[in-house]
Amino acid sequence: MANGLTISEYIRASYPRKQTVKVLEYNAESSCLKKQLAEFGYKNFLGICTGNPDIQRDPDLYYANEKTLTYKNNAEVLIINSADFMDLKNAFHSSADLILFIPSKIIDRASFLPLWAYKLARKKKWNFRFETFGDIPGETRTGILFKRNHQKEQAARQYLSPELGLENFFDLLNERRLDYVVLRWFDELPFLDLDEDVDLLISDEHIEKVRELLNERVGILPFDIYSAGGLPGSNFHNIAYYPPYIAETILDQKELWNGKYSIPSKRHYFLSLMYHAVYHKGEKSGIPATAGGTVKKIPQDHDYPGVLKRLAAETGAKLEENSLEYFHHFLEEEGWAPSTDTIRKLIGVSGQWLESTIKSSEHNFEKDGELMVFVVREWAEERQLTHKITDWFDRNGLCLIRAIKLDEEQKRNAAQSMRGGNWGQGPWPVSGGKPSTLLVMYDYHPKPLNAKMKKKYPHVSNEHYLLKEQLRSEINFSLSKEERANPLHSADDEIEALDYIAAVAPDLLQEIKTIVTEWDQAYKTEEKVVADVSEKKRRAKVEVIEYEGKRAVKKTYKAGKERFLEREKFVYGELSKECEFIPKLIDSGENYIIVPYLKTNKVTESWHIKKQILKRRHKKEIFSINEFFYNKGYALIDFHPGNILLTPEGLKVIDFEFLYQYEERPPSDRDSFDLNGFPEDFEEDRPYGIFPKQRRNMWRKILY
């Protein structure tokens, strides 16, 4: 743009088709800019004068000597006259898309101020350039122009125009029958202090209508608007302000105060204020964490202990103690305390004292592994991905106890009690939707997180919960960036897992306990264990045991993995009678097999050395094993050198979990799946993470 434009001309050129653009001029010395813009139809303007209004008041300006107004506003264009460092620093926290910074002192491009502003702008993700304006005939002013180059996030904090005012605003809310309540301090309305914000709880249906009303004109009177369901841009630290079922109860039973303001009932005001003091304010509320404890901070605005005491007396409630811990338990008794996963999100707000309130669920029971819950969301259910998700966890070693497909009432309970009530899209382009199916799973072998991961996920108890991250990537991999969503959520540990089940299917808790107890009992090893030689333990554990005075190998299968066991029983028990390379079955049961313990040469533990030995000395035996299974009509889908043992008794082959009976046998044994890998469209059980070409290429290097 050419130099010498007036500020009004620059705004018109920047927003040629948007006469509703909100413009705020800070440190306005006159109403000239307002009149210039109005001539061209740009009437959404607020000029703030910080001078003494008693000397000569301009009726077209708003008088306020408050420096924070450079960011406490909803303007899209922010003009700051006679500005200093702090004015600009504050302005970068505003919602403006364009900031025109006109310093109080004359600047040039080499001075310290532009260099400092440039560095700050880059850090805050704003574009920076000089601009010269000719608002005064014959004179020019140099300013610095900043344009936002990042998307601003929608937030609960909004601002009302002082020209509309609080009284008129509430008249409009009532006239339009919008469903809201003023949460607290309504007896002090209308507020005169610009630092005092109005907190509104609004139904999900009407939240955008209230937001639009607040944003019609340039505003500086602060409001915090919270939707009942914790919708994006109207929540508290990405969780619902109150548990949604509580928020809906407050709205359903609201009362009219002073003939103008919708407010909570007396009882709900008492409980909601206590909730606010405990979980939103916490150690900043002026209430000690424990009885007799030290008050960390006394707020200057409100006496929470005193007001709660008065409201308790007015509602007939009996408070025996003044502490955050006591109030938390009081809210628990009233059914108003948040769930465990929500409490964990609030610890950073309320203080570390809140950690002590998390206790093991009353439904917990003794077990050897860990109960886990994954929540399949509507987006995944609609795309028929639930079976894929269940199968993926199964292949990674987790055992499904129950898949609970939620009915409408259960979906509602799950959405309100899990994830802080917030089921928005988060950082994903598409929302994953509400809960649809609960996968209750059991992990026989939970794995603690390492120190680095524990720092990132402080509440996650089991590394296998992080499998969901891999699964999310796998599901979204084939989608364009615009189509991707978060398909599933999970608990963080057993406390949350049991909370989730109790919220939607409490009748299943006893059944789940019975199943897990039976699984644990069946999985125990009665014999003396010499060593655990398991690898991934996805389907079974493998142990060296003492059996009838000798060492043997016992393989014990998890619940639901019986098909793998039956294949091994068949090979070790039946096919071993016809093939010298297969060890013979010693014993078996409903969930285990026992086979001989075979000593191997330690040098063969090296993959490179073992490969060379097989290549030079044992090609004939490998082809014989392949031919034997081919002639019997079977393939060893997981046939690889790791399952070949070089023992003093000769070469032996083990591990037949993935034995496959051909539907149509390949033309010759050299075309078998064992050596060539399974087909691309193979739908039967296959080893996790193995692709057909891997097996084919591996055996070619050894055998040819």
Side-chain angles (χ1 to χ4, degrees), residues 38-57:
E39 287 179 8
F40 298 99
Y42 292 79
K43 297 180 180 180
N44 204 343
F45 176 92
L46 181 66
I48 296 176
C49 179
T50 57
N52 188 342
D54 296 329
I55 297 173
Q56 188 176 1
R57 178 181 286 270

Side-chain angles (χ1 to χ4, degrees), residues 591-628:
N591 69 334
Y592 70 88
I593 55 171
I594 299 176
V595 294
Y597 172 72
L598 301 171
K599 290 184 179 180
T600 59
N601 191 330
K602 279 197 172 184
V603 74
T604 63
E605 293 177 6
S606 164
W607 162 246
H608 179 73
I609 294 174
K610 186 175 185 178
K611 186 171 70 172
Q612 293 303 314
I613 293 173
L614 292 176
K615 187 172 185 176
R616 293 175 183 176
R617 303 180 191 173
H618 298 286
K619 287 184 183 181
K620 183 178 178 181
E621 290 97 324
I622 292 171
F623 281 124
S624 294
I625 293 168
N626 173 59
E627 183 181 359
F628 171 78

Side-chain angles (χ1 to χ4, degrees), residues 378-533:
E378 290 171 334
W379 181 89
E381 190 80 49
E382 290 165 3
R383 286 158 181 76
Q384 300 180 330
L385 294 172
T386 302
H387 177 73
K388 174 186 172 116
I389 291 169
T390 306
D391 180 64
W392 198 87
F393 284 126
D394 177 81
R395 286 189 287 120
N396 278 277
L398 306 184
C399 297
L400 181 68
I401 302 173
R402 285 286 181 271
I404 307 170
K405 189 170 177 58
L406 306 180
D407 59 30
E408 289 306 312
E409 183 180 353
Q410 288 174 318
K411 283 184 180 181
R412 177 181 171 83
N413 291 339
Q416 293 190 339
S417 60
M418 302 172 193
R419 216 171 180 258
N422 189 338
W423 294 86
Q425 66 192 66
W428 298 83
V430 178
S431 171
K434 299 287 179 67
S436 183
T437 300
L438 247 66
L439 302 179
V440 183
M441 312 200 84
Y442 189 59
D443 186 359
Y444 283 84
H445 303 286
K447 184 178 179 182
L449 276 69
N450 60 38
K452 182 179 179 181
M453 297 305 288
K454 192 67 179 174
K455 188 174 181 180
K456 185 176 181 181
Y457 304 101
H459 305 299
V460 174
S461 60
N462 181 357
E463 187 180 292
H464 295 149
Y465 266 122
L466 305 185
L467 288 168
K468 68 182 179 185
E469 306 289 345
Q470 300 173 35
L471 180 54
R472 283 172 184 160
S473 299
E474 188 171 311
I475 288 173
N476 281 292
F477 179 75
S478 60
L479 301 176
S480 67
K481 288 184 178 180
E482 296 75 22
E483 296 176 303
R484 293 174 183 175
N486 179 2
L488 74 162
H489 170 65
S490 76
D492 277 350
D493 62 5
E494 277 194 335
I495 297 175
E496 289 186 15
L498 288 163
D499 281 353
Y500 286 8
I501 300 167
V504 300
D507 294 344
L508 287 178
L509 285 164
Q510 184 56 48
E511 180 185 340
I512 290 167
K513 177 181 177 180
T514 300
I515 290 171
V516 169
T517 303
E518 289 175 355
W519 286 2
D520 274 350
Q521 186 59 40
Y523 200 62
K524 291 184 187 300
T525 304
E526 302 298 334
E527 298 84 3
K528 180 182 177 182
V529 178
V530 177
D532 186 331
V533 292

